[in-house]
Amino acid sequence: MITIIPEAPENVAAFSATGEITKEDFENLVIPHVKQKVEQYNELNYLLYLNTDLDKFSMGAWMQDVLLGLKNLTNWNRAAIVTDKEGVQKFTDIFSVVMPGEFKSFPKENLYNALYWCKNGNEVEV
């Protein structure tokens, strides 16, 4: 299931993924929310907090995610993937080289830093 992270900054489409993720999660929640943010801000600041194993994403859900990325390709500004999965972190960092906009991975304990980065383009100084 995908849910909107309610404490996200207004200019960030932020989602939490838990349990099994389906195509319907993207069709009914992610795509409409992202579309609204892009229309409102003319760019996409996106955060996905992965609190599930990647095998819980159905093929349809992954396909929707890919199509969403391609459809709004020119609107990507910043995207953060929050996960403790090292493979996903490395993929996100490599993906940032080939996609427009900035893509960055954050460990789960840095969710609020990731939200801040999505909103402002820099991290909280500790």
Side-chain angles (χ1 to χ4, degrees):
M1 174 168 69
I2 294 181
T3 56
I4 293 172
I5 297 175
E7 56 272 283
E10 187 60 33
N11 70 329
V12 178
F15 304 95
S16 177
T18 58
E20 186 172 346
I21 310 305
T22 66
K23 177 181 177 184
E24 288 76 23
D25 290 324
F26 283 91
E27 289 176 342
N28 299 329
L29 181 70
V30 175
I31 291 173
H33 192 67
V34 163
K35 184 177 178 185
Q36 180 230 347
K37 293 294 183 185
V38 170
E39 287 173 358
Q40 188 174 1
Y41 294 98
N42 203 33
E43 65 183 14
L44 179 57
N45 296 311
Y46 178 91
L47 180 138
L48 180 61
Y49 182 86
L50 273 177
N51 202 20
T52 190
D53 290 327
L54 293 181
D55 63 354
K56 299 294 184 185
F57 275 73
S58 74
M59 181 54 84
W62 278 116
M63 188 57 68
Q64 284 296 116
D65 200 21
V66 169
L67 293 175
L68 172 68
L70 293 174
K71 183 177 179 185
N72 293 311
L73 196 59
T74 59
N75 295 99
W76 285 103
N77 187 39
R78 284 184 288 278
I81 306 298
V82 182
T83 181
D84 287 337
K85 306 280 186 210
E86 193 173 308
V88 176
Q89 291 173 347
K90 287 181 181 176
F91 176 79
T92 302
D93 294 339
I94 291 169
F95 195 65
S96 69
V97 176
V98 297
M99 284 288 288
E102 298 176 72
F103 285 70
K104 190 170 182 167
S105 63
F106 291 83
K108 284 184 179 179
E109 69 267 11
N110 287 350
L111 171 61
Y112 290 100
N113 196 18
L115 286 166
Y116 186 87
W117 176 81
C118 280
K119 177 184 179 187
N120 301 300
N122 56 349
E123 296 183 45
V124 177
E125 306 246 346
V126 183

